[in-house]
Amino acid sequence: MRRWLHMKDKYNFKELEPKWQKIWEEKGIYHVTPHETKPKYYALEMFPYPSGKLHMGHTRNYAIGDAIARFRRMNGYCVLHPMGWDAFGLPAENAAIERGIPPSDWTRTNIDQMRHQFQRLGLSYDWRREVASCHPGYYKWTQWLFLQLFKHGLAYRKKAQVNWCPACQTVLANEQVVQGLCDRCDTEVIKKELEQWFFKITDYADRLLENLDKLQGWPEKVKTMQRNWIGRSEGVEVVFKLKDTCDDIPVFTTRHDTIFGVTYVVLAPEHHLVEKIIADSPREQEIRRFIGEVTRTSEIDRTSELAEKTGISTGAYAINPMSGQEIPVWIGNYVLPHYGTGAVMGVPAHDQRDFEFSKKYDLPVKRVIASPNQNEGMEAIGAAYEDAGIMVNSPGFDGMESEVGKDAIADFMESRGIGKRTINYKLRDWLISRQRYWGAPIPIVYCDSCGTVPVPEDQLPIELPLDVEFRPTGQSPLNDIPEFVNVECPKCGGTARRETDTMDTFMCSSWYFIRFACPRMEDKPWDPETANYWLPVDQYTGGVEHAILHLMYSRFFTMFLHDLGLLETDEPFAHLLTQGMVLKEGAKMSKSKGNIVGLQEMLDAYGADTARLFILFASPPERDLEWNEQGVEGASRFLSRIWRLVYEFQGEIRSCDSLQTDMSGLNSQERDMRRKVHATLKKVTQDLDRHSFNTAVAGTMELVNSLYQFRDIARTGTKARAVMQEAIHTVLLMLAPLVPHITEELWHEIGHSGSIHQESWPTVDESALVETEIEIVIQVNGKVRDRMRLQKGRDSEYLKTEALKRDRVMELIQDKNVRDVFVVPDRLVNIVTA
RNA sequence: GCCGGAGUGGCGGAAUCGGCAGACGCACGCGACUCAAAAUCGCGCGGAGCUUACCCUCCUUGGGGGUUCAAGUCCCCCCUCCGGCACCA
């Protein structure tokens, strides 16, 4: 009995999915090494935190990434598609505190579980390259990177007002504070004065900004978010002198054209001169009370636009360096200590905020910009005039257009040494210390005689001790381990103390995409030649929630490494796809809402291919996706439909020993069918290329529907059979990147012995697309009124005459004059009547 | 407030360059198969009117205006939703 007769009549994913997963793994068909002749392609999805369970958001991310990787592979690229674990972080510590499981064990168990789920999804990773950021072989190089930054003056320690999350018991970077709340646990963040490690990302502010224009493959949305975050603004820093003490009060402004309109100066309550000014003021107590109130206010309340602007006069005066005028010095709650110089000049006539402040405290308003349109004073309007205009009341600059005046004033200030052109950023340095255990230790030692000493590179990694007592105290638990803390100074050999803070986990994830090039290299973080072969990542796929944090830190690292000569590229990700969320009943799936659809349940009930197909079909990747159980049924039904089609024809297909390639002499039905096959192939190829998975699936469904209609004809002769055979091959190949198991199974059922995933993408036979006859739409006054079938390629004149001859057309235009006729060749004729 | 993105049948969505709106799927309805049900296969499916044969006509892509022979697509104004930023001097 011949083997194919054993083909099951029903699609049984439970049997075939594990079977192929095992074979793929054993044969290592997704293993990759640099290839001399093939073009390279680096497909990457954001590596997950090993929480223990994959959810639908993960599934979507990885289904999209896998489809991209597989499609490129079939198109002749040498594809790097790796996966790893962002394995340091707080949940492991919390699990340890709650359940007494050491973070390393908890993390390892979770990784094992999640890797198993990844494998059950049939994702085409080269698992030999797996990395975990908590592995000493990995974080050795995270620490090495810290040392390189330190060596180049980009890692430094300073005492500063920092964000402290009382729940997480650690400091946070600015990027990790969202509307005053902790990004991770939504607890209100408080300010603490602490000495911490920072990375000087601000040195790269301009490049981070400018390079965005080069990133053609990034969504505009993400680039805009980064631009806003960097917040570059051009202006001048102009120095006001304190009247009695001659202390400098530098002020940053973008409206130096309004300098003659300054009627007061406002300092942030935290400004360093405040102490000096109020020290012997008769109103000292009153002022201190005000400052106390402001600094006690939380960051959210203080920076909320709704918050009332309050201030207090210090009684001191400053001198306007341009006009020589004396103006009062105030302290205001709305002046932020960490932007610009922590002091602002007040121009109530031309800044709405200053205008309101001046009204409240009865400060003078002095108009220095006249609106070009109207001459009446703005006092009557009750608002500041913030637009450009003509300068007035500005001796030496009167009559100038304010934009021109800006330059003139900046030049004047620079020539007199009272101010200089300056660029300010909202971006601040990246705070990377964390007072927690489960992270990469900072490779620094403090010595009484040598000070801050970097650990020599040959002593890396500084390993994290594994048995640790957990008490969340706000101090790193590493403090309690004398063997860890007490060390010899690497410089002088004297007694020294190790830094006990660990690094922000975003540090670990800012370079993992490079490590994948050489995941097991021991003497170097990577081999430059290999890394330069693979990088940059050609297509990066992940959630938009990382638009700023992870994506900007990674760009910063890549630029830095480029500057060191360790990488050729200075941008890590050439193309970025940010996939939408998976929703249930319109809401994000979350534990608290209890609306999570677990992957495990999906895999058990429908299998990996159905889950993947539904997720890709239901919505375009960037858009949010509403989870719909009935939609999943539909996806499953489609796969069964393909299964039955192949089942029905596998005898015929196998009986042709080789693929029929002679397609001459087809009758018209066969030709139409074949045209549909190649037209679909063309469409699906384009769709996958632009990541339009939903339309690619829809197109394939349409083709399968047509093939069902063609079934009876397919049995009428060898030519028809050959068309069906080619069609089924094409369908399986087109779907292989999306649903790898069923296509592999059927590929073997129709007589192939090699893997479908090592096949080449099919080629469109352009000759099959040629249509001799075509339908032309006839419009009268823009409305479709008739259609005609004609030979393709007729000229406009012919189409026009033919259209006007039609009964239907003559009937409609009988008593009217034809004013004009528009012809789109091979498409439509529009007859316009008077 | 500012900056993005979106708004299309009962639902998810399609229309890639200004040229037939509603592909494909879900749901629903009808038919075939069946003792029956499920599954499957086939057909129908935006709304209204007119015919209740086929046809035909009108309306319809958040609302209003415009450009054009022709607009879901381009321009102007407005509404709603989502995301980001938000006293940044």
Side-chain angles (χ1 to χ4, degrees):
Chain A
M1 193 181 274
R2 280 188 289 185
R3 199 186 80 85
W4 71 77
L5 293 179
H6 293 303
M7 180 178 171
K8 298 263 175 23
D9 62 344
K10 282 216 182 72
Y11 165 45
N12 183 353
F13 66 87
K14 277 192 179 151
E15 207 172 290
L16 68 92
E17 288 187 353
K19 178 178 86 184
W20 288 113
Q21 285 157 12
K22 192 156 167 269
I23 294 172
W24 296 334
E25 184 62 31
E26 281 166 5
K27 293 199 172 162
I29 66 165
Y30 306 124
H31 292 176
V32 67
T33 47
H35 196 280
E36 299 118 43
T37 53
K38 282 188 189 175
K40 72 93 184 179
Y41 193 90
Y42 188 174
L44 184 67
E45 298 97 62
M46 292 178 183
F47 70 164
Y49 178 79
S51 58
K53 259 189 174 175
L54 286 177
H55 51 69
M56 284 305 152
H58 289 124
T59 308
R60 188 172 194 201
N61 192 171
Y62 302 126
I64 292 169
D66 196 47
I68 293 171
R70 288 176 182 276
F71 178 63
R72 292 290 162 187
R73 217 177 267 127
M74 290 178 82
N75 277 282
Y77 288 87
C78 178
V79 175
L80 174 59
H81 191 218
M83 188 37 71
W85 313 99
D86 188 10
F88 273 136
L90 269 185
E93 267 181 83
N94 293 337
I97 294 161
E98 284 158 26
R99 280 171 277 166
I101 314 161
S104 56
D105 294 357
W106 185 84
T107 305
R108 181 148 309 136
T109 314
N110 283 353
I111 288 178
D112 288 343
Q113 278 175 24
M114 280 175 85
R115 189 190 304 107
H116 180 68
Q117 288 191 313
F118 266 106
Q119 281 157 343
R120 282 200 60 187
L121 272 172
L123 301 165
S124 63
Y125 296 123
D126 181 352
W127 281 107
R128 298 174 310 169
R129 293 173 182 266
E130 178 181 1
V131 300
S133 63
C134 65
H135 191 282
Y138 181 91
Y139 69 71
K140 172 182 178 178
W141 300 111
T142 308
Q143 292 171 335
W144 180 85
L145 277 161
F146 177 96
L147 292 177
Q148 305 313 306
L149 287 155
F150 182 80
K151 218 193 281 178
H152 291 84
L154 292 168
Y156 67 96
R157 203 162 124 93
K158 75 167 178 196
K159 195 161 193 169
Q161 286 275 335
V162 297
N163 305 301
W164 174 268
C165 173
C168 298
Q169 291 274 308
T170 185
V171 296
L172 301 170
N174 293 325
E175 288 79 6
Q176 290 156 23
V177 181
V178 179
Q179 316 240 302
L181 305 179
C182 171
D183 188 31
R184 185 176 288 287
C185 66
D186 284 350
T187 305
E188 191 167 310
V189 168
I190 58 169
K191 289 284 177 186
K192 265 198 177 183
E193 177 109 342
L194 286 172
E195 196 164 4
Q196 299 285 311
W197 282 97
F198 290 85
F199 287 160
K200 237 178 183 172
I201 191 171
T202 49
D203 270 16
Y204 284 79
D206 260 325
R207 256 168 92 192
L208 287 167
L209 184 69
E210 279 165 22
N211 265 18
L212 288 173
D213 297 330
K214 291 200 307 194
L215 296 175
Q216 298 296 317
W218 279 42
E220 218 35 66
K221 176 183 165 151
V222 174
K223 290 196 277 187
T224 305
M225 283 167 72
Q226 291 208 357
R227 277 190 199 104
N228 289 341
W229 188 262
I230 295 165
R232 182 192 146 103
S233 73
E234 280 180 40
V236 302
E237 202 174 292
V238 51
V239 180
F240 286 67
K241 291 260 186 222
L242 207 53
K243 187 185 159 200
D244 297 323
T245 66
C246 284
D247 280 303
D248 284 355
I249 307 178
V251 154
F252 176 72
T253 179
T254 54
R255 289 301 303 273
H256 36 289
D257 53 320
T258 65
I259 185 84
F260 289 94
V262 176
T263 55
Y264 58 95
V265 166
V266 193
L267 307 179
E270 296 87 348
H271 196 279
H272 71 277
L273 280 177
V274 165
E275 239 351 274
K276 188 167 181 180
I277 292 171
I278 65 172
D280 35 39
S281 160
R283 294 170 50 235
E284 185 181 345
Q285 290 313 311
E286 197 190 332
I287 297 171
R288 282 198 197 284
R289 207 176 315 123
F290 172 78
I291 294 173
E293 266 166 41
V294 176
T295 45
R296 261 195 313 278
T297 315
S298 72
E299 182 89 350
I300 355 163
D301 291 340
R302 179 154 164 209
T303 57
S304 156
E305 207 176 353
L306 305 166
E308 198 187 355
K309 288 164 196 53
T310 56
I312 191 162
S313 167
T314 62
Y317 284 84
I319 314 289
N320 183 333
M322 290 294 280
S323 65
Q325 201 185 354
E326 280 182 22
I327 48 174
V329 177
W330 285 63
I331 295 171
N333 67 342
Y334 68 96
V335 181
L336 305 171
H338 43 69
Y339 183 77
T341 61
V344 299
M345 59 185 216
V347 188
H350 306 292
D351 180 284
Q352 188 58 27
R353 189 186 42 200
D354 294 345
F355 182 83
E356 283 162 24
F357 194 77
S358 76
K359 281 280 157 277
K360 180 163 177 179
Y361 294 108
D362 212 18
L363 290 155
V365 176
K366 186 181 169 196
R367 191 166 65 112
V368 292
I369 306 287
S371 157
N373 317 325
Q374 50 207 84
N375 289 330
E376 75 255 34
M378 42 68 44
E379 289 85 349
I381 305 164
Y385 176 76
E386 293 185 315
D387 295 336
I390 305 300
M391 293 175 68
V392 294
N393 297 324
S394 305
F397 301 91
D398 283 348
M400 270 189 197
E401 206 280 309
S402 61
E403 282 306 306
V404 177
K406 266 189 186 175
D407 262 329
I409 289 200
D411 286 344
F412 183 84
M413 286 174 170
E414 285 180 340
S415 71
R416 297 293 165 96
I418 53 176
K420 59 177 192 295
R421 286 184 169 84
T422 307
I423 294 160
N424 247 297
Y425 302 92
K426 283 202 323 186
L427 180 71
R428 283 189 277 161
D429 281 341
W430 172 16
L431 196 173
I432 57 117
S433 321
R434 295 293 178 270
Q435 290 70 48
R436 300 297 307 213
Y437 161 72
W438 193 232
I442 295 175
I444 289 287
V445 163
Y446 302 105
C447 168
D448 289 338
S449 38
C450 309
T452 302
V453 182
V455 173
E457 289 178 18
D458 59 13
Q459 290 178 25
L460 296 182
I462 305 300
E463 285 206 42
L464 205 52
L466 288 180
D467 52 37
V468 176
E469 186 80 21
F470 279 92
R471 281 178 292 118
T473 57
Q475 293 271 305
S476 165
L478 294 174
N479 276 305
D480 303 333
I481 306 173
E483 312 85 85
F484 181 83
V485 176
N486 301 318
V487 284
E488 246 178 39
C489 169
K491 231 185 208 169
C492 68
T495 56
R497 203 172 44 80
R498 214 195 279 284
E499 167 68 67
T500 54
D501 282 355
T502 53
M503 291 186 243
D504 181 3
T505 55
F506 278 102
M507 164 108 195
C508 309
S509 56
S510 296
W511 72 283
Y512 78 106
F513 45 90
I514 315 171
R515 183 66 178 173
F516 277 134
C518 309
R520 301 288 172 263
M521 189 158 270
E522 285 183 9
D523 55 335
K524 280 187 280 187
W526 57 80
D527 164 51
E529 201 186 324
T530 315
N532 287 330
Y533 173 82
W534 289 117
L535 286 156
V537 173
D538 292 279
Q539 181 64 58
Y540 198 33
T541 309
V544 74
E545 64 273 18
H546 294 106
I548 294 171
L549 290 153
H550 165 58
L551 291 170
M552 205 166 60
Y553 296 151
S554 299
R555 295 182 59 222
F556 162 51
F557 266 43
T558 304
M559 285 175 190
F560 169 67
L561 293 166
H562 167 85
D563 291 350
L564 290 193
L566 293 169
L567 277 185
E568 268 167 30
T569 184
D570 68 344
E571 282 291 343
F573 314 119
H575 296 264
L576 174 69
L577 192 159
T578 50
Q579 100 265 357
M581 290 186 298
V582 181
L583 308 175
K584 184 83 191 282
E585 280 118 32
K588 187 181 177 168
M589 288 189 187
S590 73
K591 255 188 218 149
S592 56
K593 290 192 191 84
N595 61 351
I596 292 185
V597 178
L599 174 63
Q600 200 59 53
E601 293 84 321
M602 265 328 282
L603 291 176
D604 293 342
Y606 296 99
D609 283 344
T610 295
R612 295 171 58 138
L613 183 69
F614 169 70
I615 256 177
L616 294 172
F617 176 61
S619 187
E622 304 81 7
R623 217 182 290 187
D624 287 348
L625 181 154
E626 176 66 34
W627 189 262
N628 173 356
E629 190 80 19
Q630 282 164 333
V632 180
E633 295 275 0
S636 168
R637 213 173 293 162
F638 174 58
L639 293 181
S640 296
R641 214 163 136 79
I642 293 172
W643 183 276
R644 283 190 301 271
L645 185 69
V646 174
Y647 177 75
E648 200 178 320
F649 283 91
Q650 67 153 340
E652 281 91 332
I653 291 167
R654 288 189 76 122
S655 66
C656 330
D657 283 337
S658 57
L659 193 58
Q660 279 281 347
T661 47
D662 178 19
M663 290 290 177
S664 59
L666 301 183
N667 67 29
S668 76
Q669 283 171 311
E670 291 157 356
R671 232 179 10 248
D672 286 348
M673 188 66 248
R674 188 155 185 271
R675 185 183 313 114
K676 179 85 182 170
V677 171
H678 284 271
T680 304
L681 174 59
K682 191 169 186 174
K683 177 198 161 54
V684 169
T685 308
Q686 285 166 354
D687 282 354
L688 292 184
D689 199 51
R690 63 186 178 113
H691 307 143
S692 182
F693 305 107
N694 55 331
T695 55
V697 173
T700 315
M701 285 174 166
E702 236 180 298
L703 175 59
V704 170
N705 290 345
S706 301
L707 290 173
Y708 263 74
Q709 306 290 330
F710 188 70
R711 279 176 304 167
D712 290 339
I713 301 165
R715 270 180 275 265
T716 55
T718 52
K719 290 286 174 194
R721 207 153 50 218
V723 170
M724 181 57 102
Q725 183 196 31
E726 188 196 26
I728 286 174
H729 272 85
T730 309
V731 166
L732 294 179
L733 288 165
M734 286 192 299
L735 287 177
L738 314 182
V739 283
H741 308 89
I742 187 174
T743 48
E744 180 80 302
E745 176 77 10
L746 293 175
W747 189 250
H748 285 76
E749 289 293 1
I750 59 174
H752 298 278
S753 50
S755 171
I756 193 170
H757 303 301
Q758 292 175 318
E759 289 291 324
S760 291
W761 191 253
T763 318
V764 177
D765 180 355
E766 293 289 340
S767 72
L769 299 177
V770 174
E771 271 179 291
T772 46
E773 221 189 21
I774 206 166
E775 190 180 71
I776 308 285
V777 165
I778 303 172
Q779 296 182 332
V780 177
N781 295 325
K783 285 184 176 136
V784 182
R785 288 292 133 104
D786 200 8
R787 293 152 198 281
M788 55 185 178
R789 289 200 71 84
L790 285 179
Q791 230 189 336
K792 205 183 164 181
R794 305 310 287 250
D795 62 29
S796 302
E797 205 46 46
Y798 182 84
L799 292 179
K800 180 176 166 181
T801 339
E802 282 304 304
L804 287 168
K805 271 198 264 179
R806 306 279 297 181
D807 291 348
R808 178 98 181 93
V809 172
M810 294 206 292
E811 189 186 312
L812 280 158
I813 61 171
Q814 44 180 322
D815 52 343
K816 298 173 192 120
N817 290 324
V818 173
R819 203 178 69 200
D820 215 342
V821 179
F822 292 83
V823 181
V824 183
D826 287 340
R827 278 203 124 132
L828 110 177
V829 178
N830 188 10
I831 298 157
V832 184
T833 62

